[in-house]
Each structure stands twice: as structure tokens, then as C-alpha cells.
Amino acid sequence: SLKGSDCLINIIDAYCGKGKSTYAIQDAKNKKYEKGFKFIYICNTLDEVERVVKETGAYPPVYGKNGNKTEDIKDLMRNGKNVVTTQALFKRFDKELRELSEGYTAYMDEVIPVFDTEYWTKGEVGDLLQKGDIVNDDGLFVFREEESTNKVPEDCGQFLAYNGRYKDILEITSANDFYFVNNSFVVLLKPEVFTAFKEVIIFTYMFEHQFQRMYFDYFNIPYKVYGLDNCEICEYKFEIPPNMYKLEIYEGKLNRIGDRSNYLSKRWYIAPNTTRARCMAIRNNIENMFKHIKKCSNKDKFWTVYKGVQEKVQNKNLTTSFLSCNARGTNDYSDRHYMAYCINPFMNPVLKTFLSGKGVEFDEDAWSNSEFVQWVMRSALRRGEYCYIYVPSARIRENFIEWGNRR
């Protein structure tokens, strides 16, 4: 286990560019010849999977006859092989995979998206309850294990019969629990998905303000946080990336659109009757920034809005430079110097109610700042180069500047 740690879950919290991936890969390589050591490495992207496979000699699961990789990963783990896979597959770790995880060390390059609030429709859940496939256990909805045959039953209701949705839901529920809160569902990974391992090492930055930390607190799962210095584990201390001072933030009249603290939130964008006009205004500002104020090429810029409004904002000049606002662990944009971050993220209100109900503490402004910092660090700042950003939301700008002054 991690030198000197008696904890099952260990967090390595260090800013982008500190060498977290290098350390993880080296650690796996160094230990793989130790008797009884076996590992699974969870990556954010398929590119990263390729890199880890190349460097460690571990196996990536391949598609089986049934069109998914689950059976292959089970075979690999039954045979005690070292495995590299993606978060998407990890989020479907069913009972059998959790049992096979025993004795494995898990390296997780970045936190896992542990919560979901947009997965279920009430109709689907009503269908499943009526059939008796799920039972309501005091607000926690549990799938009957013996139902998990992956066969679509004859009497499967109208909501679930199409598109293999029943099978999909079976897969999701084999690794997740779901709760009914304020007329909505919160889906969260079963804690055993983490606690089944011999040891879990998560590599991230600003862990304190991430959903993964809130999730561990929710389930009272203990963890220890460490830092990284010169590729060595050390005591954790908060550090701001030294390159942050190389980020110049636009100040000027294009910021007026984000003056108020709730402007540019998801709700602001999708407000009835104003969506089109607001999306057009944001598009014009982004275009103005990239074309006239900074005159940068397509390959030297990237921008973001929420997934649901991207199509309404982008035009042919912007299609190829969009980067999802929750992107992590990708280096594909590390040669780009101009950014536009046109959102003002707030935590999902259903999730806030859910966490507060259990006394889990969180700071919403710090959470949204950590989301912003992760996104900004996809740029050439990683390489220590000067960058420029348009951040129309006054709330995001001010929180970031205040955070940056904490040196």
C-alpha cells in the first residue's frame, strides 16, 4: 500500500503538471513484479488508456460478442491480469466485478463522476416498481439482484421496451443505487465499487471541493490526502499552480452579459422565450473576442457553454473548438492559448438537498471555482505559456481572482 498509509483510500492532491500520471504509471510499473500485486488503472479518456497500456503492459478490455467490454474485463480479472479501462466502464462494476476487485490496487486518474441526477424518468421507475424489479427501501430504490439476467422480460413496460433501455438500466443499477429526493432521482455509485479493492489511489486537484469528497463523506468512507513533490509522495499542503499568474483575464464591456450573480447559469440560458436571444448574444461575444479583440486562429482557441445549449451557440467558426465544461485529464488542448468560459455553474439543487440532508458540508462557490480551474488547466498554461481568457460571469471571475490571491 501507499508508504506509511493505513487507509484503504488515498488521495494524491496536486495541481496539473505536477506529474501525477507519471507517478501513477511508475508506481504501477515498479510494483507489478511484487508477489501478489495486481492493479486496475482507471483513465479518463481512451487516449490515456492507450498510453498506460503502452507504458505498463497491462490489458485493455475488448468488445465481446454481446457488444460490451464487461465480459472481457471479468475474464482478465479472473485470471489476475493487470487491467486498464475507462471511467465509463468502471461506473458499471456489477456485483461480480466488485468481487473480482478483491486484492486489486486501483489507480484512478482523476475523480470518478459518482453522482447523476438526469438518468431516470418517473415513467420508467413507475414501470419497474409495478413489475417488482425494484423495491423502495425507505427512499432507496434497490434492484432485485436475481432480476439481473440481462434479458428483457415479456411484460416489460412501454417505457423500457425500446432501444434496449431495460438492459441499459439493468447495467446501471447493478453498480448504482438511486434515491428519490424532491420529486427527482439521485443516482450514485454503490460504495462497494470503491471499498471492494485492496487499495484505491485517486489522483486529482482541489479534492476538498469535489463531488468525490462529498460522496466519501456521505458514506463515511475514510480517506487520507497527500501531496506530490518531485514525483515523491509528501504531506499535503494547498498550492496554487505557479503558472496561474500567466493567465490574463479580459476586462471590458463584453462582460456586461454576466454582471449579476445568477446570469449565465444553466437556468438563465434555458429561460423560456429568451434562450435564442441569449445564445446569439453569447455567440457574438465569443466571435468578437476570438476574431477582433484577439485575432486568434481556430487551432489556438477553445470555448465552452453547457451541453444542452452548445448547438444553439455555435456556428461554423466555433464547431471544432468546443471543449466540454467538465473536461478533465485531456491534454489535447495544451497547445491553445485563447479561451472563452461562458457559464456560471451551480450545483444541482436536488443534489444539494440530498447532501445537506445527510449533513455533508460543501462550499458551492469553491466547487464552481474548482470546475473552472480544472477547465482552464487544459490550455497551454500547463506548459507554462501565457494565456488569455474571456470569463463573462462576474461571480466566476471574482471567486477565481480571490482564490488566486490566497498565495
Side-chain angles (χ1 to χ4, degrees):
S1 74
L2 206 63
K3 233 187 252 169
S5 176
D6 51 2
C7 206
L8 165 76
I9 291 174
N10 295 294
I11 317 297
I12 311 295
D13 187 324
Y15 58 76
C16 314
K18 260 271 165 123
K20 297 190 293 283
S21 301
T22 309
Y23 173 86
I25 290 170
Q26 201 47 53
D27 194 60
K29 277 163 77 171
N30 291 348
K31 289 178 180 166
K32 72 176 184 181
Y33 300 110
E34 289 178 13
K35 195 174 179 221
F37 180 80
K38 48 190 181 175
F39 70 85
I40 179 165
Y41 197 115
I42 318 287
C43 301
N44 227 323
T45 63
L46 284 167
D47 288 351
E48 192 64 9
V49 169
E50 275 176 40
R51 176 189 163 196
V52 177
V53 166
K54 210 151 112 191
E55 299 225 17
T56 63
Y59 295 86
V62 295
Y63 285 109
K65 291 189 194 80
N66 59 359
N68 71 27
K69 298 179 178 180
T70 316
E71 285 317 307
D72 192 45
I73 198 170
K74 285 177 181 174
D75 279 344
L76 290 168
M77 290 174 80
R78 274 186 211 108
N79 292 310
K81 301 285 190 211
N82 296 325
V83 181
V84 187
T85 187
T86 57
Q87 289 187 348
L89 188 54
F90 177 70
K91 285 180 73 177
R92 295 181 175 228
F93 259 44
D94 61 16
K95 196 175 178 191
E96 190 182 352
L97 274 167
R98 296 196 294 273
E99 283 163 6
L100 289 166
S101 299
E102 206 179 311
Y104 270 86
T105 292
Y107 294 94
M108 300 184 179
D109 194 357
E110 264 315 330
V111 289
I112 306 291
V114 281
F115 296 116
D116 198 346
T117 46
E118 291 166 9
Y119 196 79
W120 302 90
T121 69
K122 274 193 183 145
E124 287 171 342
V125 173
D127 247 10
L128 290 164
L129 278 170
Q130 208 176 342
K131 278 188 71 274
D133 284 355
I134 50 176
V135 275
N136 181 352
D137 177 10
D138 194 24
L140 164 65
F141 286 71
V142 187
F143 229 82
R144 287 218 317 267
E145 287 285 351
E146 67 271 18
E147 280 292 333
S148 300
T149 53
N150 271 355
K151 289 191 178 70
V152 179
E154 324 278 88
D155 59 343
C156 166
Q158 62 189 46
F159 290 102
L160 299 170
Y162 63 89
N163 290 347
R165 179 72 170 141
Y166 189 89
K167 195 172 163 192
D168 196 34
I169 282 182
L170 275 170
E171 274 200 4
I172 288 289
T173 33
S174 63
N176 294 266
D177 289 327
F178 62 113
Y179 295 80
F180 196 55
V181 185
N182 279 9
N183 245 353
S184 301
F185 286 96
V186 175
V187 183
L188 59 164
L189 269 177
K190 289 180 187 286
E192 299 79 28
V193 172
F194 294 95
T195 56
F197 290 102
K198 181 180 171 187
E199 181 186 21
V200 175
I201 311 174
I202 300 174
F203 298 84
T204 188
Y205 180 47
M206 297 169 79
F207 175 71
E208 181 191 347
H209 302 303
Q210 302 198 16
F211 286 138
Q212 180 98 58
R213 191 273 304 163
M214 301 171 207
Y215 169 92
F216 287 150
D217 287 356
Y218 178 87
F219 284 113
N220 292 318
I221 297 172
Y223 52 83
K224 282 192 174 165
V225 182
Y226 297 90
L228 195 64
D229 201 26
N230 292 328
C231 245
E232 289 286 323
I233 300 293
C234 61
E235 199 179 320
Y236 171 72
K237 67 174 193 295
F238 172 72
E239 287 182 300
I240 286 172
N243 297 337
M244 272 301 173
Y245 75 90
K246 294 183 172 175
L247 181 65
E248 190 186 339
I249 300 172
Y250 166 82
E251 291 291 346
K253 64 177 194 297
L254 296 185
N255 282 338
R256 282 187 201 147
I257 197 162
D259 272 353
R260 296 208 179 158
S261 64
N262 60 336
Y263 283 10
L264 304 175
S265 65
K266 207 173 214 169
R267 194 172 272 179
W268 178 88
Y269 269 104
I270 59 174
N273 308 325
T274 57
T275 301
R276 193 163 170 272
R278 286 175 175 178
C279 289
M280 290 286 286
I282 285 291
R283 177 202 298 168
N284 293 339
N285 284 7
I286 298 174
E287 289 265 77
N288 196 346
M289 177 59 56
F290 288 153
K291 260 186 176 166
H292 305 298
I293 297 173
K294 281 298 165 188
K295 301 184 176 62
C296 55
S297 77
N298 231 352
K299 290 203 166 101
D300 201 15
K301 69 185 189 197
F302 60 101
W303 62 283
T304 202
V305 286
Y306 304 103
K307 207 160 107 194
V309 292
Q310 178 195 344
E311 285 71 27
K312 296 184 179 80
V313 173
Q314 71 189 16
N315 58 12
K316 62 179 193 305
N317 297 327
L318 295 174
T319 312
T320 55
S321 53
F322 179 80
L323 176 65
S324 163
C325 58
N326 54 6
R328 290 167 186 267
T330 174
N331 295 327
D332 295 351
Y333 295 78
S334 61
D335 55 351
R336 302 189 183 201
H337 302 80
Y338 299 94
M339 295 166 271
Y341 187 83
C342 300
I343 59 173
N344 178 16
F346 288 89
M347 285 169 67
N348 182 300
V350 177
L351 198 50
K352 278 168 68 173
T353 305
F354 179 71
L355 292 167
S356 307
K358 271 285 172 106
V360 175
E361 290 180 11
F362 53 84
D363 173 340
E364 190 165 19
D365 284 346
W367 169 79
S368 55
N369 183 56
S370 80
E371 294 287 295
F372 173 68
V373 170
Q374 285 278 3
W375 190 83
V376 165
M377 289 307 290
R378 301 304 110 215
S379 70
L381 272 179
R382 297 177 80 85
R383 303 175 170 191
E385 295 168 16
Y386 284 89
C387 290
Y388 191 91
I389 190 164
Y390 170 50
V391 189
S393 163
R395 171 179 169 257
I396 298 298
R397 250 189 349 269
E398 286 157 15
N399 283 340
F400 173 69
I401 290 164
E402 191 184 319
W403 173 82
N405 290 335
R406 271 176 63 185
R407 293 173 195 287

